[in-house]
């Protein structure tokens, strides 16, 4: 009978063929004994490297785990080395897509291009009242003649900001069902009847801007 410790010292002191000859077994059988007892043994070519001083470092004998055999006898039955448990399959995770950098959109938005001329081509309005352009298919805004440039500039900045954030700003289809609330120039005052604001109070005032 030989212990793990004694077998470890033996296989690192002479080639496996000589160790096997002492027990009158083959070298492959002796290698199986080392595997069953979990005794590390020299790799192929170790002794030739040792002769020229280039042998790898000798690994230590690991401690036995609960249930591992710690001795071997020539008259005993050599147990089959336990097969390593298969590792669970690792499902590769899909690569994380790189964040899409939004392109900053500048310049005149298509809905604003040419809108000023159409807005100025308006039905007659009182003084500086809200323009009423004849053209129907036009960006929907309420602005006086003096406030038109400011309204168009605001709309252009708004549309470009939405487009830069990945949204699409286009003219709604005729049958889309969109509608807007009617606008009033009146201001409600508590406990007082509605009154119309003085005309100068509406100067350069943008009431609504949608599309």
């Amino acid at each position: 009978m030989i212990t793990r410790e004694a077998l470890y010292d033996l296989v690192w002191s002479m080639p496996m063929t000589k160790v096997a000859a002492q027990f009158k077994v083959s070298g492959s059988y002796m290698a199986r004994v080392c595997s069953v007892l979990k005794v590390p043994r020299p790799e192929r070519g170790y002794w030739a490297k040792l002769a020229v001083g280039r042998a790898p470092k000798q690994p230590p004998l690991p401690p036995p785990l609960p249930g591992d055999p710690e001795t071997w006898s020539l008259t005993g039955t050599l147990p089959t080395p336990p097969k390593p448990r298969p590792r669970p399959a690792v499902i590769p995770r899909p690569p994380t897509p790189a964040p899409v950098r939004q392109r900053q959109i500048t310049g005149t938005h298509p809905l604003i291009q040419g809108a000023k001329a159409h807005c100025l081509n308006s039905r007659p309005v009182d003084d500086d009242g809200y323009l009423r352009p004849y053209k129907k298919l036009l960006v929907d805004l309420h602005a006086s003649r003096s406030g038109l440039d400011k309204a168009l500039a605001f709309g252009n900045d708004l549309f470009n900001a939405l487009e830069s954030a990945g949204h699409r700003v286009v003219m709604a289809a005729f049958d889309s069902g969109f509608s807007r609330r009617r606008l009033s120039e009146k201001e409600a005052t508590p406990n007082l009847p509605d009154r119309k604001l003085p005309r100068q109070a509406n100067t350069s005032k943008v009431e609504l801007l949608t599309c």
Side-chain angles (χ1 to χ4, degrees), residues 60-136:
L61 177 66
L65 298 177
D68 287 346
E70 299 187 35
T71 59
W72 171 74
S73 174
L74 185 60
T75 58
T77 303
L78 183 64
T80 303
K83 294 183 179 180
R85 293 183 178 180
R87 294 185 178 182
V90 178
I91 301 176
R93 299 179 61 182
T96 303
V100 179
R101 299 184 62 182
Q102 298 292 346
R103 180 172 60 92
Q104 188 68 27
I105 298 176
T106 57
T108 304
H109 191 273
L111 293 181
I112 302 298
Q113 293 176 0
K116 181 176 181 179
H118 292 298
C119 289
L120 292 177
N121 184 22
S122 168
R123 296 176 179 83
V125 294
D126 297 334
D127 299 331
D128 200 24
Y130 293 131
L131 297 172
R132 300 171 58 200
Y134 288 102
K135 185 175 177 61
K136 297 291 185 181

Side-chain angles (χ1 to χ4, degrees), residues 180-192:
R180 60 172 169 81
R181 299 181 61 183
R182 294 180 60 86
L183 301 176
S184 173
E185 300 179 16
K186 295 181 180 180
E187 180 179 356
T189 304
N191 302 324
L192 293 177

Side-chain angles (χ1 to χ4, degrees), residues 116-178:
K116 181 176 181 179
H118 292 298
C119 289
L120 292 177
N121 184 22
S122 168
R123 296 176 179 83
V125 294
D126 297 334
D127 299 331
D128 200 24
Y130 293 131
L131 297 172
R132 300 171 58 200
Y134 288 102
K135 185 175 177 61
K136 297 291 185 181
L137 192 61
L138 186 66
V139 58
D140 186 14
L141 61 87
H142 267 49
S144 61
R145 186 177 296 270
S146 60
L148 180 60
D149 288 338
K150 184 183 295 184
L152 292 173
F154 174 79
N156 189 70
D157 292 342
L158 175 62
F159 297 162
N160 283 341
L162 291 171
E163 296 270 7
S164 298
H167 304 288
R168 187 183 179 199
V169 182
V170 295
M171 196 73 68
F174 177 76
D175 57 350
S176 60
F178 289 126

